[in-house]
């Protein structure tokens, strides 16, 4: 080691924060560090295997792809060696000193917010290497890149403030990590302890693992085995290792098929939706293999995008081994594969939802956005996905979810539509005048309260041949119900409508008497081709200059005392009637969430109060 080659660097602030968290708040599960390091070694050798197909000049090309562990009880060290791609000087700095991806930041926030155990989340956020500092007071990383012009390098750190990089010599391609264990964690320098850990956590590594010269793992492709030959323990271990999932998955799909295409798939549905924690869009994590050889750990376009939360393995003997990532998306075979599997996944959800509705409901509450995205974007699975949508309605208890299928079991005989309303919250929808008439007739109204819902139901359009109808739109036909109270006569009603239309002018497209209302005097309906309040709000949020003329159809309730009184006043006191007409429209716009400018409303209100007090 010559002084001249030593470079020192300090860790990026986020890395320091992360290290502090990893070292000081992880009291349990320290042993996962080994799984993280072995998993990195294995990833690196997978990458090398890929390069073997495309690169001619690999340094140390003949080295066997194996992982070697050595323990030294006296020196209190544990060494992990791989013959993967190694790292160049630049890569050492980039990968082990800075955060190249946003994962760590999100990890730190998620840790603060969720109360989750860091061990559950560490692998999912890709901060695995730093777990080494949970047990080591000093970590040395010897590295030789696969590139012919690479250097022999040694990266050293105590995991506190920074690290140094210096030249080394005599290295073989790959990475050798030497952990100088803390006194209290010297147990990891014992062969039996390490052997036990590998058996527990890393049995599914696709490369031979040797401990002090002796082979200790079976390379096994669980997904190729028969379902009945796999134990729950094996599934669990596989999920933990291969999918970096440390919380038991919600669901699992393990199947094989020969036609129309050879498939062995083992797919897991995780327990947590990482996008909820402010993580970037999840990368696809169902890896594509051909006869146990990894083709792509994160194949884009294999499964529909909304399924990106799934984890696992798809192995197809029909896929050519040399298929490149670029041409994969165009391959008819890959498309077929994706289509067969995505159908199975949708079916799985359907089956599981039926078997345990409560469990599915809890799961759905975390993952709903994916299903909605699917309805909007995944045409091939739209029908199946529609069965999975869940929502509250005028007939569900607060917080309980229902499906379109449930809705139809409660529908009236001959009801050929599914009614819905979109708004900010259940409470707001429940008290809106639109729902009155439907409640009075015993018709169920679905409440959609998520910002994306409106778009989703509009793209869906119908469910099992029943049209989805938004009840704030004009033109919704309802039967005459046996409404209480005497109504205004036909002629008087006609006259009143004409008066209102004249008075309100351009602000309304039409005024008509209707059957919807029970307790409210009037209601504002959005014309059938008009923009709903939610859509307007979204447009306004996106474009501050967005302006449109609000035009509604006004429906009056001929049984309401205020309406009946207005018919009289129109003749006896036209001045007052005009004020009331304007105010009635504004009230209806407020209830619909469509009143943008309340200046006139306030003035008119004041005039009305003056009149009321004589
Ligand atoms: P992750 O593996 O989730 O990306 P880590 O913190 O474990 O996060 O590792 C950071 C990066 O360091 C890896 O993405 C990889 O590029 C590099 N790295 C870690 N271990 C090795 C290794 N044994 N061989 C080559 N590169 C490695």
């Amino acid at each position: 080691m010559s002084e001249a080659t030593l470079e020192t660097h300090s860790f990026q602030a986020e890395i320091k924060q992360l290290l502090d968290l990893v070292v000081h708040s992880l009291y349990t599960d320290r042993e996962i560090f080994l799984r993280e390091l072995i998993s990195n070694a294995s990833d690196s050798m997978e990458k090398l295997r890929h390069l073997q197909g495309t690169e001619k000049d690999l340094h140390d090309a003949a080295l066997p792809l194996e992982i070697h562990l050595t323990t030294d009880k006296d020196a209190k060290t544990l060494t992990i060696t791989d013959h993967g791609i190694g790292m160049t000087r630049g890569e050492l700095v980039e990968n082990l000193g800075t955060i190249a991806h946003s994962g760590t930041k999100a990890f730190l926030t998620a840790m603060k917010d969720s109360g989750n155990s860091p061990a559950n989340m560490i692998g999912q956020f890709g901060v695995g290497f730093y777990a080494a500092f949970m047990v080591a007071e000093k970590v040395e990383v010897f590295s030789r890149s696969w590139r012919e012009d690479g250097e022999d390098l040694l990266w050293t750190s105590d995991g506190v403030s920074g690290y140094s990089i210096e030249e080394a010599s005599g290295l073989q391609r790959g990475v050798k990590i030497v952990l100088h264990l803390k006194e209290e964690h010297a147990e990891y320098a014992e062969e039996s302890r390490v052997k036990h850990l590998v058996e527990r956590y890393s049995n599914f590594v696709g490369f031979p693992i040797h401990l002090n010269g002796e082979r200790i793992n079976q390379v096994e492709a669980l997904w190729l085995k028969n379902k009945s030959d796999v134990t729950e323990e094996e599934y669990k271990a596989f999920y933990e290792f291969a999918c970096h999932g440390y919380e038991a998955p919600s669901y699992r799909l393990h199947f094989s098929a020969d036609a129309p295409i050879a498939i062995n798939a083992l797919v897991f549905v995780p327990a947590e939706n990482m996008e909820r924690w402010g993580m970037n869009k999840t990368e696809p994590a169902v890896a594509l293999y051909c006869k146990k050889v990894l083709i792509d750990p994160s194949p884009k376009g294999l499964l529909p995008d909304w399924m990106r939360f799934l984890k696992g393995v798809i192995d197809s003997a029909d896929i050519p081994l040399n298929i490149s990532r670029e041409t994969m998306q165009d391959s008819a075979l890959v498309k077929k594969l994706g289509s067969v599997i995505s159908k199975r996944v949708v079916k799985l959800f359907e089956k599981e939802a039926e078997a345990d509705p409560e469990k599915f409901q809890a799961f759905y509450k975390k993952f709903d956005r994916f299903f909605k995205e699917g309805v909007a974007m995944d045409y091939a699975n739209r029908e199946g996905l529609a069965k999975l949508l869940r929502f509250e309605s005028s007939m569900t208890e607060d917080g309980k979810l229902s499906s379109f299928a449930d809705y139809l079991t409660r529908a009236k005989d001959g009801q050929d539509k599914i009614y819905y309303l979109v708004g900010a919250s259940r409470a707001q929808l429940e008290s809106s005048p639109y729902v009155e008439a439907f409640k009075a007739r015993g018709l169920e109204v679905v409440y959609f309260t998520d910002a994306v819902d409106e778009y989703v139901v509009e793209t869906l359009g119908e469910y099992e041949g029943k049209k989805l109808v938004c009840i704030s739109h004009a033109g919704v036909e309802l039967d005459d119900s046996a409404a209480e109270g005497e109504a205004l006569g036909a002629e008087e009603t006609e006259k009143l409508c004409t008066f209102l239309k004249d008075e309100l002018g351009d602000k309304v497209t039409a005024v008509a008497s209707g059957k919807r209302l029970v307790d409210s005097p009037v209601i504002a309906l959005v014309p059938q081709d008009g923009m709903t309040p939610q859509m307007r709000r979204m447009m306004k949020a996106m474009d501050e200059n967005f302006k449109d003329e609000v035009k509604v159809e006004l429906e009056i309730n001929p049984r309401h005392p205020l309406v009946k009184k207005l018919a009289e006043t129109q003749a006896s006191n036209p001045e007052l009637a005009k004020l009331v007409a304007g105010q009635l429209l504004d009230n209806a716009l407020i209830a619909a969430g469509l009143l943008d400018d309340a200046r006139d409303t306030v003035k008119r209100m004041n005039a009305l109060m003056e009149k009321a007090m004589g």
Side-chain angles (χ1 to χ4, degrees):
M1 177 201 336
S2 80
E3 282 294 315
T5 71
L6 189 82
E7 297 173 12
T8 55
H9 299 256
S10 35
F11 285 124
Q12 210 184 24
E14 277 102 344
I15 297 275
K16 279 190 211 164
Q17 230 179 321
L18 174 76
L19 277 165
D20 191 59
L21 197 94
V22 164
V23 175
H24 295 111
S25 32
L26 274 177
Y27 300 111
T28 55
D29 300 318
R30 281 185 200 274
E31 63 193 34
I32 65 152
F33 80 91
L34 187 60
R35 172 177 60 195
E36 297 298 328
L37 297 181
I38 290 181
S39 151
N40 281 348
S42 158
D43 287 350
S44 172
M45 291 197 296
E46 295 274 16
K47 287 178 195 158
L48 191 98
R49 192 142 66 183
H50 223 90
L51 288 176
Q52 284 174 334
T54 55
E55 297 287 335
K56 285 194 307 291
D57 300 322
L58 288 175
H59 185 71
D60 280 341
L63 281 178
L65 296 184
E66 294 171 350
I67 296 172
H68 286 264
L69 307 174
T70 42
T71 54
D72 185 335
K73 238 175 123 169
D74 299 329
K76 291 197 216 63
T77 59
L78 169 61
T79 303
I80 299 125
T81 309
D82 68 64
H83 294 312
I85 57 173
M87 283 178 270
T88 60
R89 190 180 286 265
E91 286 164 345
L92 280 171
V93 173
E94 169 103 346
N95 296 336
L96 306 184
T98 57
I99 308 276
H101 38 103
S102 65
T104 303
K105 241 189 186 134
F107 171 77
L108 292 170
T109 1
M111 284 312 313
K112 280 190 207 115
D113 299 348
S114 72
N116 258 322
S117 142
N120 282 339
M121 312 190 79
I122 223 162
Q124 304 178 34
F125 282 92
V127 288
F129 168 76
Y130 302 99
F133 291 101
M134 300 196 302
V135 296
E137 59 188 11
K138 182 166 106 174
V139 175
E140 291 174 311
V141 180
F142 293 89
S143 171
R144 174 64 171 87
S145 162
W146 65 274
R147 293 171 196 279
E148 274 306 353
D149 58 356
E151 306 163 85
D152 286 1
L153 295 168
L154 168 59
W155 178 103
T156 313
S157 174
D158 59 2
V160 182
S161 58
Y163 59 93
S164 63
I165 298 179
E166 66 202 88
E167 278 169 22
S169 61
L171 302 185
Q172 291 183 307
R173 188 198 65 230
V175 162
K176 177 169 94 175
I177 298 181
V178 184
L179 305 179
H180 297 267
L181 299 164
K182 293 176 186 167
E183 188 61 50
E184 64 272 34
H185 302 304
E187 61 188 293
Y188 300 112
E190 280 166 34
E191 183 176 298
S192 59
R193 181 83 174 96
V194 172
K195 182 157 189 259
H196 178 77
L197 283 184
V198 173
E199 278 164 1
R200 165 131 188 241
Y201 289 125
S202 306
N203 231 341
F204 299 102
V205 179
F207 300 96
I209 300 178
H210 296 257
L211 174 58
N212 296 333
E214 207 181 308
R215 172 84 182 260
I216 54 168
N217 72 327
Q218 239 75 60
V219 174
E220 189 172 40
L222 200 65
W223 61 90
L224 296 183
K225 286 174 94 175
N226 214 314
K227 232 156 117 167
S228 52
D229 299 333
V230 184
T231 65
E232 283 301 320
E233 269 309 300
E234 286 176 304
Y235 278 127
K236 181 168 180 282
F238 179 81
Y239 181 65
E240 289 185 354
F241 175 74
C243 306
H244 295 267
Y246 307 132
E247 221 178 323
S250 303
Y251 303 113
R252 174 178 80 218
L253 177 67
H254 185 182
F255 78 98
S256 57
D258 294 322
I261 186 168
I263 300 176
N264 288 89
L266 177 51
V267 174
F268 296 90
V269 182
E272 191 48 80
N273 165 11
M274 302 317 284
E275 288 186 18
R276 290 207 306 163
W277 302 114
M279 284 290 281
N280 286 348
K281 200 170 156 187
T282 310
E283 290 289 323
V286 179
L288 181 62
Y289 282 73
C290 167
K291 293 187 249 173
K292 295 204 269 188
V293 177
L294 182 66
I295 295 179
D296 190 341
S298 181
K300 298 211 167 54
L302 171 59
L303 295 177
D305 203 25
W306 69 269
M307 291 189 184
R308 59 189 177 274
F309 59 95
L310 299 176
K311 293 169 185 284
V313 170
I314 295 171
D315 193 319
S316 174
D318 290 339
I319 300 283
L321 244 183
N322 60 359
I323 191 168
S324 78
R325 289 183 198 191
E326 292 70 39
T327 57
M328 221 174 65
Q329 290 200 42
D330 304 325
S331 149
L333 218 54
V334 171
K335 281 199 183 115
K336 185 86 218 152
L337 188 63
S339 140
V340 171
I341 292 163
S342 61
K343 286 213 162 54
R344 292 291 289 249
V345 169
V346 172
K347 269 262 167 293
L348 166 85
F349 284 122
E350 201 187 320
K351 228 180 65 208
E352 295 286 357
E354 208 167 291
D356 189 344
E358 297 279 311
K359 179 179 169 189
F360 183 72
Q361 177 165 323
F363 167 78
Y364 184 86
K365 284 184 173 171
K366 291 188 208 166
F367 289 80
D368 61 336
R369 282 290 179 96
F370 293 104
F371 292 103
K372 292 172 184 179
E373 189 182 319
V375 169
M377 317 289 280
D378 182 6
Y379 185 77
N381 288 303
R382 184 171 291 165
E383 246 171 75
L385 277 162
K387 296 186 189 158
L388 302 175
L389 292 179
R390 296 291 183 271
F391 40 75
E392 296 193 31
S393 83
S394 57
M395 290 192 185
T396 62
E397 272 172 59
D398 206 351
K400 285 258 180 316
L401 302 182
S402 204
S403 65
F404 286 127
D406 297 336
Y407 180 106
L408 292 179
T409 63
R410 293 185 289 257
K412 298 223 143 181
D413 281 348
Q415 182 182 335
D416 61 350
K417 295 187 180 70
I418 294 175
Y419 297 107
Y420 71 90
L421 189 57
V422 192
S425 67
R426 180 186 176 113
Q428 188 220 324
L429 293 173
E430 200 118 72
S431 64
S432 93
Y434 300 103
V435 179
E436 286 178 24
F438 292 83
K439 277 199 175 152
R441 288 168 176 78
L443 292 170
E444 181 168 3
V445 178
V446 174
Y447 297 151
F448 286 121
T449 53
D450 186 356
V452 301
D453 285 345
E454 179 163 29
Y455 179 70
V456 173
V457 271
E458 267 174 25
T459 35
L460 187 58
E462 59 167 54
Y463 177 81
E464 308 224 315
K466 311 259 192 258
K467 217 166 156 339
L468 296 163
V469 173
C470 179
I471 64 164
S472 61
H473 276 84
V476 180
E477 300 282 341
L478 288 176
D479 294 341
D480 209 352
S481 72
E484 302 273 307
E486 204 177 317
L488 216 50
E491 201 181 315
E492 286 165 294
T493 307
E494 180 76 45
K495 247 166 100 187
L496 181 61
C497 288
T498 313
F499 162 74
L500 286 170
K501 176 72 185 92
D502 287 348
E503 187 50 39
L504 300 173
D506 273 357
K507 293 185 195 153
V508 291
T509 54
V511 180
S513 159
K515 299 165 190 163
R516 295 187 185 226
L517 295 169
V518 182
D519 297 322
S520 308
V522 295
I523 193 172
L525 300 173
V526 178
Q528 248 157 354
D529 57 350
M531 219 184 267
T532 60
Q534 286 65 42
M535 208 57 104
R536 283 188 82 237
R537 217 167 295 143
M538 225 150 79
M539 299 295 288
K540 277 165 99 175
M542 288 190 296
D543 173 8
E544 57 179 284
N545 295 319
F546 172 82
K547 275 233 151 54
D548 75 332
E549 291 265 321
V550 177
K551 281 214 169 138
V552 294
E553 189 174 320
L554 197 68
E555 182 169 314
I556 66 171
N557 174 1
R559 290 186 177 80
H560 198 280
L562 183 54
V563 172
K564 288 197 268 187
K565 197 90 192 151
L566 181 61
E568 281 172 39
T569 313
Q570 180 215 327
S572 62
N573 187 350
E575 274 309 295
L576 179 62
K578 284 179 183 177
L579 286 174
V580 172
Q583 195 59 38
L584 272 178
L585 173 64
D586 280 9
N587 288 355
L589 291 175
I590 292 170
L594 286 170
L595 191 79
D596 289 334
D597 184 348
R599 280 174 298 183
D600 288 345
T601 322
V602 172
K603 261 193 228 149
R604 193 186 315 104
M605 208 47 220
N606 289 341
L608 271 168
M609 286 192 289
E610 240 174 73
K611 278 209 188 306
M613 290 186 290

